[in-house]
Amino acid sequence: MLHAPVTQADHIRGDRNAPITLVEYGDYQCPHCAAAQPNVIMLLRQYSREVRLVFRHFPLTEIHPQAETAAESAEYAGSHGLFWEMHDGIYANQDRLSLPVLFALASALGLPEAGLRRSLATREYAAKVRADFLGGVRSGVNGTPTFFINGRRHDGTYMLDDLAQAVEQQLAVGAEP
Amino acid sequence: MAPVLEAGTRAPNFRLRVTPDQTLALEDLAGRPVIIAFYPADWSPVCGDQMTLYNEILPEFHRFGAELLGISVDSAWCHRAFAHHRHLHFPLLADFEPKGDVARSYGAYRFSEGVCERALFVVDADGVIAWSYCSPIAVNPGADGILEALERISAEETEGAEGKDRDHAARARHAG
């Protein structure tokens, strides 16, 4: 079960008042997370009134050396209201992820390199990323991506059909008196 | 699925190869909690596999003074290559010869496939199993159960120590 409730500090995509919350714990350098990304977007489109997405960081830094920096960069963009734009940019460029690419992505969003460079140098968002990670650990995250649907871990795959089926199940439960 | 050893049972001691030329025994770690993670095999094909996950969580385990041991039937040479590839910072033990002997003593051997179960044990500082869990083989159990067990052990130790202090203080007053 999800230990860390969704709060103001979370990044939310979709209808904020949607009855179903899909929490994703992901790593920007994880190929499975990149593969899941279009499915999640399709799901949000298909269930635009029913589902909202919360993304939390779960960087596996020992095997993905760029994951932590990418997560902190996304948080920096988030502090300027551009979290999802950066998030999408990072996944779209996962196969060539590097510091210059992160700076270029930020610049393309109108965020000057100097600001991001300073934020990364001071580890401005390291504590937030770590808090996401630890909250995930306590919730039973067992790899990336791990999804929670209304607080319950989704042990199925990240294929669209599987995610949609889980959402349908949750909708059916919610509809019960 | 054979039942794994339960909480309250003394953890069977073992000595296994940890590198091609070194061995490690459970009793070498007496005095601190030990997490024993039996797992089916090195080289599972996903990036968020169980050992990689625990590697990232290692600082949390260390906060409780706990040591983590991974055990599978893979050989020490295989473990070395796997640990190197995944940058693992904790020992992997080879339950290789006689194959699965230690896993059997914990009820964590899967005879049908000849590999360890995906079974977790948290052993307290006195060598007694404080918590155990056997996960379906395909499901990575995560680390929440381990951390909860370590928290319980740590709370009990604090209470125990306070109790001893109280007894000691009472005796001192009595003597005075």
Side-chain angles (χ1 to χ4, degrees):
Chain A
M1 288 300 286
L2 190 66
H3 239 258
V6 176
T7 70
Q8 294 286 335
D10 279 304
H11 304 290
I12 299 174
R13 188 173 207 163
D15 187 342
R16 301 187 81 82
N17 298 314
I20 293 179
T21 303
L22 178 70
V23 174
E24 174 180 3
Y25 281 90
D27 167 319
Y28 284 127
Q29 230 185 325
C30 161
H32 295 282
C33 297
Q37 162 90 346
N39 302 344
V40 170
I41 301 287
M42 284 294 289
L43 188 80
L44 288 177
R45 239 178 248 160
Q46 214 168 308
Y47 295 94
S48 59
R49 289 164 184 221
E50 292 90 357
V51 179
R52 60 176 190 164
L53 170 70
V54 167
F55 183 87
R56 288 176 176 166
H57 303 289
F58 203 82
L60 297 172
T61 56
E62 292 285 349
I63 51 166
H64 297 149
Q66 305 285 340
E68 172 71 26
T69 312
E72 291 180 24
S73 300
E75 285 300 324
Y76 174 76
S79 70
H80 293 82
L82 296 164
F83 178 82
W84 295 107
E85 289 77 0
M86 191 70 177
H87 173 91
D88 291 348
I90 291 171
Y91 273 131
N93 291 279
Q94 189 188 61
D95 54 347
R96 57 186 201 110
L97 213 54
S98 68
L99 206 50
V101 166
L102 291 169
F103 288 144
L105 288 170
S107 293
L109 297 174
L111 301 171
E113 178 178 327
L116 176 54
R117 191 179 281 281
R118 198 177 318 117
S119 173
L120 292 175
T122 57
R123 308 294 314 277
E124 191 178 4
Y125 293 102
K128 177 156 200 291
V129 172
R130 188 74 189 160
D132 273 5
F133 178 84
L134 291 177
V137 167
R138 298 315 295 250
S139 303
V141 168
N142 57 3
T144 52
T146 292
F147 293 98
F148 291 83
I149 296 176
N150 278 3
R152 189 183 296 271
R153 193 172 76 191
H154 169 71
D155 281 334
T157 74
Y158 54 75
M159 294 296 114
L160 181 56
D161 286 355
D162 262 19
L163 289 170
Q165 198 186 350
V167 164
E168 289 290 349
Q169 265 171 17
Q170 193 59 47
L171 283 170
V173 172
E176 281 170 15
Chain B
M1 214 184 286
V4 297
L5 293 187
E6 287 180 359
T9 316
R10 177 151 292 280
N13 189 36
F14 52 78
R15 176 172 291 283
L16 288 174
R17 209 155 279 287
V18 63
T19 67
D21 51 12
Q22 281 175 302
T23 62
L24 181 70
L26 180 62
E27 61 191 10
D28 295 345
L29 302 172
R32 62 196 122 154
V34 179
I35 305 152
I36 305 173
F38 289 97
Y39 63 102
D42 293 342
W43 307 110
S44 56
V46 295
C47 42
D49 75 71
Q50 200 183 349
M51 293 305 116
T52 305
L53 177 74
Y54 292 175
N55 196 38
E56 296 284 342
I57 302 169
L58 213 49
E60 291 307 301
F61 297 153
H62 287 167
R63 268 195 329 117
F64 292 96
E67 293 294 331
L68 169 65
L69 306 176
I71 303 183
S72 78
V73 295
D74 295 289
S75 77
W77 294 101
C78 184
H79 276 336
R80 174 187 269 192
F82 179 62
H84 184 256
H85 186 262
R86 302 284 162 97
H87 304 155
L88 302 183
H89 301 296
F90 61 92
L92 297 179
L93 275 55
D95 198 5
F96 181 71
E97 181 59 36
K99 188 183 172 204
D101 223 23
V102 173
R104 286 166 213 232
S105 72
Y106 279 77
Y109 193 67
R110 220 174 153 80
F111 288 90
S112 54
E113 279 118 278
V115 296
C116 297
E117 291 278 7
R118 214 174 271 289
L120 298 171
F121 297 86
V122 173
V123 178
D124 70 15
D126 300 323
V128 176
I129 295 170
W131 177 80
S132 66
Y133 176 72
C134 187
S135 181
I137 196 111
V139 179
N140 175 347
D144 47 328
I146 297 174
L147 287 169
E148 278 163 26
L150 289 173
E151 247 164 25
R152 267 198 310 275
I153 290 177
S154 156
E156 279 162 18
E157 272 172 10
T158 312
E159 271 169 32
E162 278 168 5
K164 267 180 220 155
D165 286 350
R166 272 198 304 277
D167 294 349
H168 191 74
R171 274 198 302 275
R173 270 200 305 280
H174 191 70

